[in-house]
Amino acid sequence: MKSSTSQPNVIVIYADDLGFGDIGCYGANDIPTPNLDKLADEGIKFHQGYAPAATCTPSRYSLLTGSYPWRNPNAAVLPGDAPQIIAPDAPTLPKMLQSQGYRTGIVGKWHLGLGNGELDFNTEIQGTPNDVGFDTSYIMAATNDRVPCVYINNRHVENLDPNDPIEVTYEWDNAFPDVPTGRHNPELLDMMYDHGHDGTIINGVSRIGHMRGGKRAVWDDETMGEHFADKAKSFISENAEQPFFLYYALHQPHVPRIPAPQFRGVTPHGPRGDVIVEMDWCIGQVLDHLESLGLKENTLVIFSSDNGPVLNDGYKDQAIEKNGNHRMAGPLRGGKYSLFDGGTKVPFLLRWPANVQPGESNTIFGHVDLYASLAALTGATLAEDEAPDSHNMLSTLTDAQQTGREEIALEGMQGGNVYRYRHWGYIPPHDGEAICCYTGNEKGNLNAPQLYDLSKDVGQQHNLAEQYPDVVDELATRFAAHMRLDKTR
């Protein structure tokens, strides 16, 4: 029996490092994204959709737990052998949907840790997405620029030869002397690293960290996009007769940007532009499959990104040289790692043909609110301490004319927070560099308060803190209270 409209299928598609201005429906003129543009035309396009943080692991943690990331000190960008940072007994979004009869699955990037600190990739892994609410999982452990460069199918590395066991370390002192690295063997590279990506060479690309063994299990970067899309389609096919939740966690346009051959050169912006086109094609494959099975009408599809964009994030792939006039963050200031809006304001699209009229929304919506909103949609009752920072914004998700949050807290780099209240953007004083010395992105750090009227200054060019000290004081007080108080659902 197919699900009723009170229990639609739910697909969350989460891009990696995609900026507010990177796709056609948000203003990208020479990066064709017809599938996402169609999704926007058929649903709601949000102009103030916020990722919880300006980096990946914290945003993904917040999405799945309904908790601000800084409440967990381990919710920082993780190595590929880090312990899982969501406890097995913790409430999660997929667990909540399981309780309502949903079949749950994840395909793609995980990056929330695996195991309990003594991770062995050669045996059955305890501490995977399967232990925190997903019935099935097909993932990479961390990111495509970190070892181990293998797929994990539920609890096992796929295609692993037991006679060629995997060893992983993130310590240069323990690196494997018989395994080539970018640092010591640059002549073996097809793509030169720029910073921090000079470890083990996999498929002609040096990664963060060191890996030995597992040669038969190593992924093919060029086919990764289509491979994950096929796995997403398989999950949908296998669960078409019951309500399902799919977390389709894309790796594009994260580095290393290695598009399939058919996408090379399709934009003037080099590999970064090309992998965005590839990403759109992969999404189109999944959405077309959904429609072919007659599931389009009653499937709630949400598309967004885990944080803002970056050009040079560790490889010399001509992203800077070929960026031209393209504005990755659109009119916004900053990008990945930034306290400015370019770090966390990202594309946010929603489609549910059975229940949602197309339109555009200017209300504030945070990914942290998906947990409580989907609980309200499916009839789940949350415990008092469950999803502590998630608000029920179901009306905002289903009606473009509805208003949402008045306030939300966001994270730049770990420990650096931002506060949005109505039309104000408030950045408390933060120590640290103003410009990231590696990427060139503005971090937004300043040893004095920053105040921006985002209704008039979306690009955050005019700091009004000295002009409106009373507003700064009010927002500082509100921010402190917001960080302390439990939410009202």
Side-chain angles (χ1 to χ4, degrees), residues 25 39 73 107 153 169 187 195 201 231 245 259 292 308 316 331 340 344 360 410 461:
C25 55
L39 191 70
V107 170
N153 189 348
T169 180
E187 73 280 0
H195 59 268
I201 299 173
K231 293 297 180 181
F245 166 60
S292 73
K316 296 180 179 180
F340 292 121
T344 50
E360 298 189 22
L410 307 161
Q461 296 299 308

Side-chain angles (χ1 to χ4, degrees), residues 255-274:
V255 296
R257 300 154 183 150
I258 306 176
Q262 63 267 35
F263 296 103
R264 291 180 192 160
V266 296
T267 75
H269 301 302
R272 187 176 186 277
D274 297 347

Side-chain angles (χ1 to χ4, degrees), residues 186-351:
E187 73 280 0
L188 300 179
L189 295 174
D190 296 328
M191 178 188 293
M192 180 58 66
Y193 68 89
D194 184 82
H195 59 268
H197 293 71
D198 55 352
T200 295
I201 299 173
I202 304 288
N203 302 332
V205 180
S206 52
R207 317 285 168 145
I208 299 174
H210 309 277
M211 172 182 171
R212 178 162 62 184
K215 291 181 177 61
R216 197 176 74 181
V218 167
W219 65 48
D220 179 351
D221 293 87
E222 288 187 347
T223 63
M224 182 180 289
E226 184 171 7
H227 188 68
F228 279 142
D230 286 343
K231 293 297 180 181
K233 289 160 62 178
S234 295
F235 175 84
I236 293 169
S237 294
E238 292 162 6
N239 297 281
E241 297 300 319
Q242 65 188 90
F244 64 78
F245 166 60
L246 171 63
Y247 175 35
Y248 179 28
L250 302 159
H251 69 287
Q252 301 109 327
H254 196 281
V255 296
R257 300 154 183 150
I258 306 176
Q262 63 267 35
F263 296 103
R264 291 180 192 160
V266 296
T267 75
H269 301 302
R272 187 176 186 277
D274 297 347
V275 297
I276 293 174
V277 175
E278 179 187 60
M279 175 197 75
D280 181 79
W281 179 86
C282 292
I283 293 169
Q285 294 295 299
V286 173
L287 296 182
D288 288 349
H289 186 66
L290 195 69
E291 187 167 7
S292 73
L293 296 176
L295 300 175
K296 175 180 176 179
E297 285 297 306
N298 197 36
T299 298
L300 173 62
V301 176
I302 295 167
F303 170 81
S304 198
S305 177
D306 61 355
N307 50 249
V310 61
L311 288 175
N312 178 356
D313 208 21
Y315 295 100
K316 296 180 179 180
D317 63 358
Q318 294 191 295
I320 294 175
E321 295 86 344
K322 293 192 173 184
N323 188 59
N325 294 322
H326 175 62
R327 302 182 67 183
M328 301 181 298
L332 309 179
R333 186 176 180 181
K336 186 177 183 180
Y337 311 118
S338 180
L339 294 162
F340 292 121
D341 254 12
T344 50
K345 187 188 286 189
V346 287
F348 188 82
L349 306 173
L350 179 145
R351 186 188 74 184

Side-chain angles (χ1 to χ4, degrees), residues 85-167:
I85 63 172
I86 301 176
D89 60 349
T92 65
L93 173 61
K95 281 184 186 177
M96 178 272 292
L97 291 172
Q98 279 180 332
S99 74
Q100 299 307 107
Y102 279 72
R103 182 79 172 168
T104 61
I106 173 176
V107 170
K109 174 179 174 175
W110 178 234
H111 211 186
L112 292 169
L114 295 168
N116 60 5
E118 299 178 357
L119 182 58
D120 183 352
F121 289 100
N122 305 292
T123 62
E124 182 175 273
I125 301 171
Q126 300 299 319
T128 73
N130 303 65
D131 296 294
V132 294
F134 289 102
D135 293 304
T136 66
S137 66
Y138 190 92
I139 62 167
M140 65 170 74
T143 54
N144 43 322
D145 62 342
R146 286 173 170 81
V147 300
C149 298
V150 296
Y151 298 123
I152 299 172
N153 189 348
N154 292 305
R155 299 188 184 279
H156 293 90
V157 172
E158 188 167 75
N159 296 325
L160 181 63
D161 180 354
N163 297 313
D164 183 26
I166 293 173
E167 298 175 76

